[in-house]
Amino acid sequence: MNAEHWIALGAAVPAIITLVVSSVSAARARVKTIEDAYIARYWQILDLFPADALIGGERPQGDAEESPAERAERKELRKSVLLYLRLCEDELELRKLGWVGGETWEQWSLGIQAQLKQWPVAEEWAPIRDGQRAPRQFALLRNLDDNTQPDPFQPHSLSERFVGRWRGCTTKKPTRPVRQ
């Protein structure tokens, strides 16, 4: 090899390294953008919840007779909870496809599991979880809740593992709270 070849090789190697690093950064930036959009949706939905629900409170006890305003409020709360459950299922689907990073998933999965056990989500989730309502929906959320598949991102092929790592989707298992 002459000097010209060494110079060309010396220029090509840093260019290839730069290309790979920038591609990884772009892929991870896309993942972060998606995560940020879902975090914004999460807060929009939580803004619809009553204050007691935001602090893990109990369901407020009302009169035996429900006024039309209370019925309308309960209907809106139910809608908000269903939107939250749909958001959770969407997040699980994104994670399954490798569009949610490992660190973010660790936080989201623990938060989702905690919400599923608190009012008002728990009240709406119980009949769905048990298959009494929407039996063909929320499969990933059921798997997360019963801990059969705590992380839906399960790359099977080498290419799926590569793409997952490229995007920053590690498969580290999050720490699970002890069931009581």
Side-chain angles (χ1 to χ4, degrees), residues 71-88:
R71 239 186 330 276
E73 190 176 300
R74 186 171 41 86
K75 186 178 179 182
E76 283 301 309
L77 177 58
R78 182 171 186 256
K79 179 182 175 184
S80 301
V81 170
L82 291 172
L83 286 170
Y84 173 75
L85 293 173
R86 177 56 52 208
L87 173 73
C88 293

Side-chain angles (χ1 to χ4, degrees), residues 83-100:
L83 286 170
Y84 173 75
L85 293 173
R86 177 56 52 208
L87 173 73
C88 293
E89 186 74 8
D90 289 349
E91 290 171 347
L92 284 152
E93 184 66 32
L94 284 174
R95 176 63 179 166
K96 182 179 179 179
L97 296 172
W99 286 106
V100 174

Side-chain angles (χ1 to χ4, degrees), residues 9 15 22-23 26 30-31 44-46 50 53-54 66 75 101 105 110-111 131 139-140 147 165 167 170:
L9 183 64
S22 65
S23 294
R30 280 193 301 274
V31 167
Q44 287 173 339
I45 293 169
L46 244 53
L54 300 176
E66 195 174 50
K75 186 178 179 182
W105 177 247
L110 294 174
L140 294 172
N147 221 8
R165 287 222 181 263
R167 293 179 185 159
T170 59

Side-chain angles (χ1 to χ4, degrees), residues 1-2 7 24 33 35 62 82 87 96 110 113 122 142 144 149 164 167 169 175:
M1 275 187 140
N2 61 23
I7 291 172
V24 168
T33 300
E35 291 171 355
L82 291 172
L87 173 73
K96 182 179 179 179
L110 294 174
Q113 287 186 323
R142 283 186 186 95
L144 176 68
Q149 190 177 22
R167 293 179 185 159
C169 295
T175 305

Side-chain angles (χ1 to χ4, degrees), residues 65-168:
E65 192 77 22
E66 195 174 50
S67 72
E70 290 170 326
R71 239 186 330 276
E73 190 176 300
R74 186 171 41 86
K75 186 178 179 182
E76 283 301 309
L77 177 58
R78 182 171 186 256
K79 179 182 175 184
S80 301
V81 170
L82 291 172
L83 286 170
Y84 173 75
L85 293 173
R86 177 56 52 208
L87 173 73
C88 293
E89 186 74 8
D90 289 349
E91 290 171 347
L92 284 152
E93 184 66 32
L94 284 174
R95 176 63 179 166
K96 182 179 179 179
L97 296 172
W99 286 106
V100 174
E103 290 178 18
T104 300
W105 177 247
E106 186 172 348
Q107 295 170 11
W108 283 8
S109 67
L110 294 174
I112 290 168
Q113 287 186 323
Q115 279 289 348
L116 292 176
K117 292 168 184 45
Q118 293 178 6
W119 176 82
V121 177
E123 195 172 273
E124 194 65 38
W125 173 240
I128 294 172
R129 177 196 61 221
D130 298 339
Q132 297 167 4
R133 283 200 318 232
R136 294 189 234 319
Q137 296 180 32
F138 303 107
L140 294 172
L141 195 52
R142 283 186 186 95
N143 289 342
L144 176 68
D145 189 39
D146 67 15
N147 221 8
T148 56
Q149 190 177 22
D151 188 350
F153 180 66
Q154 301 295 323
H156 299 289
S157 68
L158 186 59
S159 64
E160 287 174 345
R161 279 195 215 50
F162 176 76
V163 169
R165 287 222 181 263
W166 190 266
R167 293 179 185 159

